[in-house]
Amino acid sequence: MPQHPRRRAAGFQRRPASLTLVAVAALMTAAPVGAAPVPPPVVQDGTPSPAACRELGFDLSPPSHVRPPVLRSRPAQPAPPAPVTLSIESTKKEDRLAYAGSPATANDVVVSGSRIGPYPPGPPLPPRPVDTERYPDATLNAVKRTADQPVSTFSIDVDTAAYANVRRFVDNGRAPPRDAVRVEEMINYFDYGYARPTSAARPFAVTTTTMASPWSEGRRIVHVGLQGYELPEGQRRPLNLTFLVDVSGSMNSPDKLDLAKQSMNLIIDRLRPQDRVAVAYYAEGAGTTLAPTAGTQKLKLRCAVASLRASGGTAGATGMTNAYDQAQASFGRNKVNRILMFTDGDFNVGVTDDKRLEDYVADKRKTGIYLSVYGFGRGNYQDARMQAIAQAGNGTAAYVDDLKEARRLFGPMFDRGAFPIADDVKIQVEFNPARVAEWRLIGYETRLLNEEDFSNDAVDAGEVGSGASVTALYEITPVGGPTQIPERRYADNRIATGGGDPNGELGFIQVRYKQPGQDRSELIQQPLTDRSRADAPPEATRWALAVAAFGQKLRGDPWIAPDYGWDRVLDLAQAARGADPYGERAEFVQLVRAAQSLPERREP
């Protein structure tokens, strides 16, 4: 069995330092009589050493203005510094420091016979890091009365950024900001083994089940799983990728640009001869390190990535414009045309307004060039901006907190985002008021659509890649159960809430999607029935609920019973771990354990 990307060693496995020639396709086993065999494409690969990259036109030596520190020996008996009189200058309000007591003078303080100060000022202390991270400000989904609002409509979300970002906070011993916890992205981080469709003509299979709510007595959970078709190797179109790399000063740390470079090399590992990649960058300005280059030129691509250095401001909008130009240079209707953006999202030069950036990316989406965003780092991670850009670009948004997560995203799982099977995928669930009194969608707060948007093909929605799955959970109150919305005084026209047929439909599920590159949508419909046995809910449903409970507790959802503690989340997860061949569920269990001991949030 191939080793899972998150279980490999932490270091990169590099090829020999010298340039190597590797054949990636075998010779034709049978050629027509008299015809010369077609030679296989030759892949040029190797370690991007300074010497090897210099031959390809890339300079990996450090900039001349960066010099290593010089260590000097300290004098045996340094002479005391001479007194210095400092002038007092007026300051601006924003430059003033908090009061710290009167400065010492020559006649003020004597300790053990030695006079203290005044001495010349030393080097300035580094400024205290300022946390400028931003997250979408989304209102939690409310409980809906089925008689009034029976229909739920939303765009699918295959992003997983929230899970990795939440893990980063918990691993650092901090509770994540509540807006950083998008429960649907945490649930969709895991694979649930749904039944798979057998044809690209109908690219989705719908799985549903129900079980009792573990955190709210008298209510039930509706579990909806959408499994995408996995494209065979021969049906995966050529890739036309553009790496758009943020090389501003804010990216100058191991968990940002260095980790982004490692991520790009993982993608380069997977390139085929028919694929092409360009490498573009932006800081205070923007440029192109490498024009669209064939996937056989792996060493050249690695050298282009290795040559990137971080400094200066962040003109993200200018970088986008340049990246779209590069993508257009190698554009093809028969290709997957996509920009992969590696950034912390901190734009501070040129156009920085999220709405203008979102509109620009949405316009470019219509040309057939999509954009995905991969976030790095901490302290100024701009999650809200990156989510908006990725959604507008029909792309995915993910957060890379370490090399293991990079291997997960850019190893075999990369195909799920690289090769689309459907565009503008929407889900609509209509609940039966004779069976369901109330309902609440768990998560997807930033993906909600109006009911009329479902049939409108002009309304944008999410993209699904090869083999990807989508999971949605609803908490419902059956008719006769403990409703949360009081009955109205004037309700003569309300729908009768008799028990209804106990074996009848709970609701009706519809999935609308477009085949890649098509303008008209297609429809899948399926009744929602209550067929699951309450005493034996499937493992997949129980695991999804464990993750949902974890996310809801982290963000303080009011629908979790006060006595539903971390120990019960842990018990639910432990009982649903299953085979867990890659250890992802075991890691989640440890995450729940760590959350139990998180300190209370003492500052905003």
Side-chain angles (χ1 to χ4, degrees):
M1 177 181 294
Q3 191 175 18
H4 187 267
R6 287 188 63 84
R7 300 183 66 184
R8 296 174 187 164
F12 263 105
Q13 300 296 322
R14 287 296 187 204
R15 297 162 178 77
S18 61
L19 179 64
T20 62
L21 300 180
V22 183
V24 297
L27 291 172
M28 297 176 60
T29 57
V33 177
V38 178
V42 176
V43 176
Q44 296 182 343
D45 202 355
T47 300
S49 64
C53 292
R54 191 178 304 114
E55 293 182 5
L56 296 172
F58 297 95
D59 184 6
L60 302 189
S61 59
S64 58
H65 64 277
V66 177
R67 299 178 180 176
V70 179
L71 301 179
R72 297 183 174 88
S73 59
R74 180 177 295 180
Q77 295 181 344
V84 175
T85 302
L86 302 177
S87 61
I88 299 177
E89 300 179 356
S90 61
T91 63
K92 296 181 291 185
K93 182 177 180 180
E94 57 267 25
D95 295 332
R96 297 173 190 170
L97 301 176
Y99 178 72
S102 302
T105 66
N107 299 317
D108 278 337
V109 184
V110 175
V111 179
S112 301
S114 300
R115 197 172 301 280
I116 296 180
Y119 293 143
L125 294 175
R128 181 181 178 183
V130 178
D131 191 334
T132 60
E133 296 192 7
R134 296 290 182 269
Y135 297 94
D137 183 13
T139 303
L140 297 181
N141 290 331
V143 176
K144 307 288 187 181
R145 190 200 309 265
T146 310
D148 298 334
Q149 300 181 66
V151 178
S152 168
T153 309
F154 62 95
S155 164
I156 60 91
D157 186 1
V158 295
D159 297 341
T160 60
Y163 183 86
N165 192 33
V166 164
R167 180 176 60 202
R168 182 253 298 189
F169 275 100
V170 175
D171 286 347
N172 290 338
R174 297 173 55 197
R178 291 181 177 179
D179 286 336
V181 185
R182 290 184 292 276
V183 179
E184 77 279 1
E185 294 187 14
M186 300 184 69
I187 295 171
N188 283 323
Y189 188 87
F190 298 94
D191 179 61
Y192 295 94
Y194 298 136
R196 296 183 175 274
T198 58
S199 170
R202 185 183 170 94
F204 295 109
V206 182
T207 299
T208 63
T209 189
T210 66
M211 67 172 282
S213 173
W215 55 73
S216 187
E217 187 175 354
R219 299 189 176 91
R220 296 186 66 77
I221 299 295
V222 173
H223 176 191
V224 180
L226 192 69
Q227 177 64 53
Y229 176 71
E230 187 163 2
L231 292 169
E233 181 67 33
Q235 296 181 21
R236 298 176 184 178
R237 292 178 287 165
L239 296 174
N240 172 33
L241 303 179
T242 301
F243 295 163
L244 175 56
V245 190
D246 181 350
V247 294
S248 63
S250 67
M251 290 287 288
N252 190 20
S253 66
D255 63 336
K256 293 188 178 182
L257 184 56
D258 290 348
L259 185 54
K261 288 182 178 182
Q262 292 173 316
S263 300
M264 287 180 272
N265 273 290
L266 290 169
I267 298 173
I268 293 171
D269 288 342
R270 300 188 62 79
L271 293 177
R272 305 162 300 173
Q274 64 266 38
D275 301 329
R276 298 182 72 83
V277 176
V279 181
Y281 65 87
Y282 63 91
E284 292 183 353
T288 302
T289 302
L290 186 65
T293 300
T296 54
Q297 303 295 310
K298 293 182 185 290
L299 178 58
K300 193 171 187 178
L301 288 163
R302 296 190 199 279
C303 287
V305 168
S307 68
L308 298 170
R309 302 185 183 93
S311 66
T314 318
T318 304
M320 284 185 185
T321 302
N322 179 54
Y324 279 108
D325 288 343
Q326 295 303 316
Q328 190 62 49
S330 191
F331 180 86
R333 288 292 174 188
N334 64 330
K335 300 179 181 179
V336 175
N337 305 282
R338 189 180 298 275
I339 295 170
L340 307 181
M341 191 174 187
F342 302 85
T343 179
D344 59 8
D346 188 17
F347 299 175
N348 54 33
V349 176
V351 176
T352 60
D353 179 73
D354 287 359
K355 182 60 178 173
R356 289 180 60 185
L357 293 168
E358 185 179 350
D359 290 345
Y360 174 75
V361 172
D363 287 342
K364 288 296 185 179
R365 178 190 71 224
K366 299 173 184 176
T367 69
I369 301 174
Y370 295 170
L371 184 146
S372 293
V373 184
Y374 298 97
F376 295 82
R378 63 202 69 195
N380 61 342
Y381 172 57
Q382 301 299 306
D383 180 85
R385 171 175 294 143
M386 294 164 58
Q387 288 289 319
I389 291 174
Q391 290 182 22
N394 260 19
T396 57
Y399 178 78
V400 187
D401 56 337
D402 57 22
L403 184 56
K404 290 188 295 184
E405 181 66 12
R407 286 199 170 103
R408 176 182 178 274
L409 289 169
F410 305 114
M413 188 178 169
F414 179 68
D415 296 346
R416 296 187 178 183
F419 301 101
I421 60 170
D423 291 342
D424 293 340
V425 184
K426 308 168 189 175
I427 295 179
Q428 187 170 85
V429 179
E430 180 181 355
F431 289 101
N432 178 6
R435 295 285 319 276
V436 179
E438 296 171 343
W439 59 271
R440 172 176 69 94
L441 175 61
I442 301 174
Y444 291 95
E445 284 85 359
T446 64
R447 298 280 187 163
L448 300 181
L449 297 173
N450 298 321
E451 181 179 352
E452 62 271 19
D453 294 338
F454 182 74
S455 299
N456 187 345
D457 286 348
V459 175
D460 179 56
E463 180 197 59
V464 175
S466 173
S469 63
V470 181
T471 299
L473 300 176
Y474 288 90
E475 185 176 56
I476 65 171
T477 304
V479 168
T483 57
Q484 301 174 76
I485 304 175
E487 290 191 10
R488 295 172 178 169
R489 179 179 180 87
Y490 305 104
D492 293 340
N493 294 325
R494 70 178 184 270
I495 298 176
T497 57
D501 180 2
N503 298 315
E505 297 176 358
L506 287 176
F508 193 63
I509 298 174
Q510 300 186 91
V511 178
R512 190 172 287 279
Y513 66 94
K514 297 175 184 174
Q515 293 285 350
Q518 300 300 308
D519 296 326
R520 298 187 62 180
S521 64
E522 301 178 37
L523 186 63
I524 296 174
Q525 297 176 315
Q526 182 171 313
L528 172 61
T529 57
D530 191 3
R531 296 177 180 172
S532 296
R533 293 167 48 199
D535 60 337
E539 175 191 288
T541 300
R542 289 182 284 122
W543 182 260
L545 263 66
V547 181
F550 177 68
Q552 290 179 102
K553 281 189 66 64
L554 280 178
R555 67 180 188 177
D557 281 19
W559 299 284
I560 299 289
D563 62 346
Y564 195 81
W566 290 111
D567 56 336
R568 296 183 65 181
V569 179
L570 189 61
D571 290 343
L572 183 59
Q574 287 278 38
R577 279 175 58 174
D580 192 25
Y582 305 131
E584 292 177 340
R585 297 189 178 189
E587 180 190 67
F588 173 79
V589 169
Q590 296 306 313
L591 208 60
V592 177
R593 294 186 192 277
Q596 290 180 294
S597 58
L598 288 177
E600 293 185 6
R601 191 179 288 106
R602 298 184 179 275
E603 57 185 20

